[in-house]
Amino acid sequence: MTSPENASDLPESGPEAARRRTGGRSARVRSQVVEAVGTLLVESGYDALTVDAVAERAGVHRTTVYRRWRDVGGLLADLLDAAADDGWRPADTGSLEDDLTALNQEVYEALRPGGADAADGSGSGSGSGSGGNLTTALIAASFRSAQAAGALTRFWEGRYARSAQVSDRAVERGELRPGVDARALLVTATAPLYQELLLLRSAPDPELPRRAARAACAAARAGVFH
């Protein structure tokens, strides 16, 4: 007979244990598939992204991928939903300008050529297999897939909602008057980075995050967003 102190060393059995084992395997499969989607999208672009290619890269049976994600749109949407399901919060530096600069720095690193991936918290690239990053590859894919477009919108909505605390903290510190439009402030602060790096494909400028943040901060203090 098993003693209470040794019971935890025995293999679990029963429906609850089965659900836990299934959940653990399911999570591992999702992680492998999501990683494969992002890697293939950056390496080869949207046109080369197929369910079969993802299954092969992830080391998962193609039937599993078809059953759970159905198609490329479902795969892209889940990649974005997985990225949104994290604990990201904007940095609290102690001042509005520095908070906006820190936020812009994350965007800058995501969008500049060879930068970090934004879809895991913030990444960029053409998604054409030429060494690009994940963020711009996903943005490009969103114009080809309605599911990806919806998921991308959810991702950005979530990021803007979390970033609203930047203006809330500025109000609490007395830097801004109450009633500021947080969304308008954030869009004004970040828009120059998307304009320069994503649309105009300008050469990376390390001073851009601070410059854009300072301009938005000055506008906010002048009451533009009230």
Side-chain angles (χ1 to χ4, degrees), residues 6 28 48-49 109 141 171 181 192 205 208 223:
N6 293 327
R28 286 195 300 274
L49 189 66
E109 292 299 330
V171 171
D181 184 336
D205 176 3
L208 179 59

Side-chain angles (χ1 to χ4, degrees), residues 91-101 164-181 185 210 213-226:
D92 184 356
T93 66
S95 76
L96 176 60
E97 183 178 321
D98 287 345
D99 280 0
L100 292 174
T101 299
Q165 60 188 279
V166 169
S167 63
D168 294 341
R169 292 194 298 246
V171 171
E172 292 171 1
R173 290 191 294 255
E175 294 182 88
L176 298 178
R177 293 185 288 108
V180 63
D181 184 336
L185 169 59
R210 170 71 67 179
R214 184 177 295 126
C217 188
R221 286 171 175 158
V224 171
F225 306 118
H226 284 82

Side-chain angles (χ1 to χ4, degrees), residues 136-148:
T136 52
L138 284 166
I139 292 172
S142 72
F143 288 95
R144 308 281 298 279
S145 165
Q147 285 177 278

Side-chain angles (χ1 to χ4, degrees), residues 25 29 33 50-56 58-71 75:
R25 180 180 181 279
V29 168
V33 168
T50 66
V51 171
D52 287 358
V54 169
E56 182 178 358
V60 175
H61 198 283
R62 63 193 297 271
T63 303
T64 299
V65 181
Y66 275 109
R67 183 172 60 245
R68 179 165 179 175
W69 288 276
R70 297 182 181 276
D71 54 25
L75 288 165

